[in-house]
Amino acid sequence: MTESLYPLRIAAAPISWGVCEVPGWGHMLDARTVLSEMAELGLSATELGPPGYFPRDPAALRRLLEGYGIASVGGFLALVLHRNPREAIAQVKDTTALLAATGAEVLVLAAATGLCGYDSRPQLDDTEWRTLVDAAAAIRDVAAERGLRTVLHPHVGTHVESETEVERFLADSELDICLDTGHLLIGGTDPVRLARRYAERIGHIHLKDVRSALADQVRGATLEYSEAVRRGLYVPLGEGDVDIEALVRSVRAAGYRGWYVMEQDTALLPTGSADLPRRDTERSLRHLADIAPAAARI
């Protein structure tokens, strides 16, 4: 239904319903509730969320997704890349096997710090950075054996967060990146400008909209990322300070025909329901429906 309504390949992600790999992040809705919500909104594809949220058995996962008419696009995986590449490669094998078995296309890799959550991070030295780049390349090769593309996701609280780090990774690595409009802006990168400068390196897109005032506080270390999320850092597409239409126009003009994954990071209270995520996702879909006809004429 989504692809017939909008000329963009639109997918969802469980994080929009509060499903996150960080311990204690918030109330996590069960998988059937989240898939049901996606299907009722007309969405027909999703990333798989944190490892273990959906069944790890490929046949069981395929049955679950097919029951709601949802296809698998890919999955996000945050791994420590700067210390022990062999360990990181071993950790990724099960995930790539599961993604490939469900017909997914992309592994979305983030350079985790090894600390819990995304509220703080140490700095890397040059040797650790080189290890990170080499480990990402090795993981790319492992994923490719399963028919998957690997993209590096610049992400708040990881070792590729700031504009300098994004630029350095693009210079040092052959991996394409996941252009996450929210995490880039929070890290200090203009996502539209980045898309224009590195059009050929955009391998996947996460669409977010954010309140720049809260993003500034996170970047300035006066507000923790997790607390900013709880205060409403992320808003429906078109209601924040990211120029989503300009971004879509730019990447389409450059030939991008991949997925646009709606990701509005949400942390639900213990009594939280699917009502707020449903409302925000519905608003985001309306915004994409408004801008997509114009983008499709490019």
Side-chain angles (χ1 to χ4, degrees), residues 59-136:
L61 178 53
R62 285 196 301 268
R63 286 194 300 270
L64 177 63
L65 295 174
E66 289 168 2
Y68 293 92
I70 303 289
S72 169
V73 169
F76 173 81
L77 189 62
L79 292 176
V80 176
L81 303 176
H82 63 282
R83 290 182 190 156
N84 188 336
R86 288 185 180 180
E87 182 178 337
I89 291 167
Q91 289 176 318
V92 84
K93 287 183 177 179
D94 286 345
T95 296
T96 55
L98 184 64
L99 290 173
T102 58
E105 300 176 18
V106 60
L107 171 67
V108 183
L109 182 66
T113 63
L115 303 177
C116 182
Y118 300 110
D119 289 334
S120 62
R121 63 182 191 134
Q123 295 298 310
L124 298 184
D125 61 31
D126 288 343
T127 299
E128 290 172 320
W129 176 264
R130 188 68 252 172
T131 301
L132 182 158
V133 171
D134 291 344

Side-chain angles (χ1 to χ4, degrees), residues 107-190:
L107 171 67
V108 183
L109 182 66
T113 63
L115 303 177
C116 182
Y118 300 110
D119 289 334
S120 62
R121 63 182 191 134
Q123 295 298 310
L124 298 184
D125 61 31
D126 288 343
T127 299
E128 290 172 320
W129 176 264
R130 188 68 252 172
T131 301
L132 182 158
V133 171
D134 291 344
I139 287 170
R140 173 203 59 198
D141 294 343
V142 169
E145 292 174 0
R146 298 281 189 177
L148 298 167
R149 295 180 296 107
T150 300
V151 292
L152 192 285
H153 186 337
H155 192 292
V156 173
T158 71
H159 288 305
V160 184
E161 172 187 318
S162 69
E163 184 171 23
T164 299
E165 290 159 349
V166 174
E167 296 267 357
R168 185 181 183 186
F169 185 85
L170 286 166
D172 292 349
S173 173
E174 295 179 353
L175 266 72
D176 291 339
I177 64 168
C178 171
L179 192 152
D180 185 302
T181 55
H183 282 283
L184 284 169
L185 188 145
I186 298 166
T189 301
D190 180 335

Side-chain angles (χ1 to χ4, degrees), residues 182-183 186 208-211 225 229 232-236 264-265:
H183 282 283
I186 298 166
K208 291 181 171 71
D209 210 345
V210 299
R211 293 188 171 103
Y225 174 71
V229 172
L233 173 64
Y234 295 104
V235 294
Q264 300 299 114
D265 293 17

